[in-house]
Amino acid sequence: LKAIYLGRARRATNRFLSAYRTQTAGAGASLDSLASAGRSYGDSPLFAIYRQGIEQIRDRLQEGASSGLNDKSLGAIRATLDATAVREQQRLNSLLVLLTIAISGGPFIGLLGTVVGVMVTFATIAKTGDINIAAIAPGMAAALLATVAGLGVAIPALFGYNYLGSRAKELAADMHVFGDEFIAKVNEVHGV
């Protein structure tokens, strides 16, 4: 599910960036032309940053900064964009901790099963007093099966975590770059 969500976020981000760059190209560009297109870009974390930035600009311009935004206002808008980026990054990384739990816990569960299997083997040997393959095989098979099960959980979780984590990091990097580009454009259009 996380892979599907990150894929939707990537596609929405690509659509948003394409539209944003088209709309803001040129000297007379309008920054807020995409603000009402929430359905088209709703899964994009960059659109969330953009929308928050547009709201901040509108609020500050309505408060009497009609001549433009000064450095203090731009700094406050930047802080809001950074806070939104952090929240979006948390949303991108949510539930990935379950994979880290599987990565670290799976081998230990396998080890526990191995220890229990060996203990069962020794108990069987002690009970029968005979060391033969029929007495040892069931306990050792259970021990090895537990090890395989633990590793069977941990290894795919490790690959999944690395893959999903890298996709989330790519989007996080895009958010930081977009925040810088957006503030630069705001300063160009509305700065004093």
Side-chain angles (χ1 to χ4, degrees):
L1 291 174
K2 181 56 82 171
I4 292 169
Y5 169 72
L6 290 173
R8 280 193 334 245
R10 170 51 63 201
R11 287 187 299 278
T13 294
N14 291 343
R15 283 192 315 271
F16 169 72
L17 278 176
S18 176
Y20 174 79
R21 290 192 173 124
T22 301
Q23 293 294 323
T24 58
S30 171
L31 282 177
D32 62 351
S33 59
L34 300 173
S36 62
R39 288 183 183 233
S40 299
Y41 314 118
D43 289 328
S44 171
L46 273 64
F47 180 70
I49 293 169
Y50 166 80
R51 188 175 50 221
Q52 189 66 38
I54 293 299
E55 288 175 15
Q56 289 291 311
I57 292 167
R58 287 177 180 163
D59 290 347
R60 290 185 186 332
L61 290 176
Q62 287 177 355
E63 290 175 358
S66 58
S67 62
L69 300 171
N70 59 23
D71 288 341
K72 187 176 176 181
S73 294
L74 289 172
I77 292 170
R78 178 60 163 162
T80 302
L81 296 183
D82 288 343
T84 304
V86 168
R87 283 191 296 276
E88 289 298 313
Q89 192 167 358
Q90 288 172 333
R91 190 167 61 124
L92 291 173
N93 290 320
S94 70
L95 300 178
L96 287 181
V97 71
L98 296 176
L99 292 176
T100 62
I101 291 169
I103 292 166
S104 60
F108 286 114
I109 291 172
L111 180 61
L112 176 65
T114 301
V115 170
V116 169
V118 170
M119 288 172 55
V120 166
T121 300
F122 288 145
T124 304
I125 291 170
K127 185 177 181 182
T128 62
D130 185 24
I131 300 176
N132 63 35
I133 195 71
I136 296 174
M140 294 310 292
L144 294 174
L145 182 63
T147 303
V148 168
L151 292 175
V153 168
I155 292 170
L158 176 65
F159 292 137
Y161 177 79
N162 288 334
Y163 174 72
L164 296 173
S166 68
R167 292 185 72 192
K169 285 179 186 176
E170 288 172 7
L171 284 166
D174 287 348
M175 287 187 290
H176 292 296
V177 169
F178 177 76
D180 292 340
E181 288 177 3
F182 185 75
I183 286 295
K185 194 65 169 177
V186 169
N187 194 17
E188 181 182 315
V189 173
H190 295 290
V192 283

